[in-house]
Amino acid sequence: EAGVAQSPRYKIIEKRQSVAFWCNPISGHATLYWYQQILGQGPKLLIQFQNNGVVDDSQLPKDRFSAERLKGVDSTLKIQPAKLEDSAVYLCASSLEETEAFFGQGTRLTVV
Amino acid sequence: GQQVMQIPQYQHVQEGEDFTTYCNSSTTLSNIQWYKQRPGGHPVFLIQLVKSGEVKKQKRLTFQFGEAKKNSSLHITATQTTDVGTYFCAGRATSGTYKYIFGTGTRLKVLA
């Protein structure tokens, strides 16, 4: 079974630039999550989708972050404009019926 | 809002010693999950506990869910170098969007 795919693996951008991350969940998984993990901290949920609908986006900084999951499969997370404090690993995960979550390798973002 | 704390933050043990990490939630949980994240890796699901007072074992790992469903623990017997990593609990809220909140994590280092 293929796992959760994310790209790119690494990204370095200057502050105020924009960036986008892509996630392809495990086939058949209705629930998709985007987490932000700052070095030394636990993953923080940014947004959770159930199929293509948003379940929770209470911790998503909506003035600069946006996410979509068209057709209930792939998802993209965008940051525009980026700030220094956005430097983190962005993890995508998927699950069946909100049980165990399967995480992708993550995208390490460095904002300089 | 709901907070999930873990102690200790760091633990160094000699190989063969036991290790325990504790997870405490500010609110009652519907269930709790445990994940392991190796250095440079992504979180990997270990187990889910649902019932009050539940105890589950996986080889050298023992997981407990408190009677009040506000705390949990992970105990590793006779640690091995392969146990190195950060252990996170993730508690699911009993109201709202029922999202999982990750704990602060306990980083385990095993000295050979």
Side-chain angles (χ1 to χ4, degrees):
Chain A
E1 177 182 82
V4 176
Q6 287 189 247
S7 68
R9 288 294 311 277
Y10 306 92
K11 191 75 177 179
I12 301 174
I13 62 172
E14 295 183 347
K15 59 184 179 184
R16 292 187 289 274
Q17 284 187 325
S18 62
V19 65
F21 312 127
W22 173 81
C23 173
N24 185 13
I26 292 173
S27 177
H29 281 193
T31 306
L32 185 147
Y33 315 81
W34 282 103
Y35 287 91
Q36 179 193 59
Q37 187 173 26
I38 292 172
L39 188 64
Q41 298 182 17
K44 182 180 99 173
L45 180 68
L46 293 176
I47 189 166
Q48 178 178 337
F49 292 96
Q50 182 74 18
N51 296 307
N52 60 349
V54 176
V55 173
D56 190 295
D57 64 356
S58 58
Q59 297 192 96
L60 186 74
K62 298 180 185 63
D63 58 333
R64 299 184 300 106
F65 287 63
S66 65
E68 60 181 9
R69 191 183 184 196
L70 299 177
K71 301 180 182 178
V73 182
D74 292 8
S75 178
T76 56
L77 176 69
K78 297 179 181 178
I79 307 175
Q80 182 179 9
K83 293 184 176 181
L84 296 176
E85 60 260 36
D86 298 332
S87 294
V89 175
Y90 290 85
L91 294 162
C92 178
S94 68
S95 70
L96 275 172
E97 303 296 333
E98 298 186 22
T99 53
E100 64 177 286
F102 293 83
F103 283 81
Q105 296 290 333
T107 296
R108 183 177 298 276
L109 173 67
T110 302
V111 182
V112 297
Chain B
Q2 180 189 0
Q3 290 187 329
V4 181
M5 303 296 292
Q6 286 181 250
I7 54 171
Q9 189 176 3
Y10 302 97
Q11 184 84 60
H12 293 182
V13 299
Q14 287 290 138
E15 188 174 22
E17 290 182 338
D18 292 356
F19 159 77
T20 304
T21 172
Y22 300 91
C23 174
N24 296 289
S25 170
S26 58
T27 59
T28 303
L29 303 169
S30 65
N31 61 48
I32 195 159
Q33 297 177 340
W34 284 92
Y35 292 81
K36 176 183 178 181
Q37 186 172 25
R38 293 182 184 274
H42 58 278
V44 174
F45 176 83
L46 294 175
I47 209 159
Q48 176 168 290
L49 304 170
V50 179
K51 298 176 183 176
S52 170
E54 188 171 14
V55 178
K56 286 188 176 180
K57 293 190 176 184
Q58 286 181 351
K59 297 182 180 178
R60 294 178 295 104
L61 278 60
T62 302
F63 304 84
Q64 289 188 314
F65 200 8
E67 293 290 342
K69 301 184 76 173
K70 293 184 71 174
N71 55 71
S72 181
S73 65
L74 158 59
H75 179 82
I76 302 178
T77 303
T79 55
Q80 300 174 357
T81 53
T82 53
D83 295 325
V84 165
T86 302
Y87 292 85
F88 291 100
C89 61
R92 190 178 192 190
T94 56
S95 61
T97 58
Y98 306 97
K99 65 185 178 186
Y100 284 93
I101 302 293
F102 274 77
T104 48
T106 295
R107 184 179 299 177
L108 173 64
K109 190 169 186 176
V110 181
L111 307 172

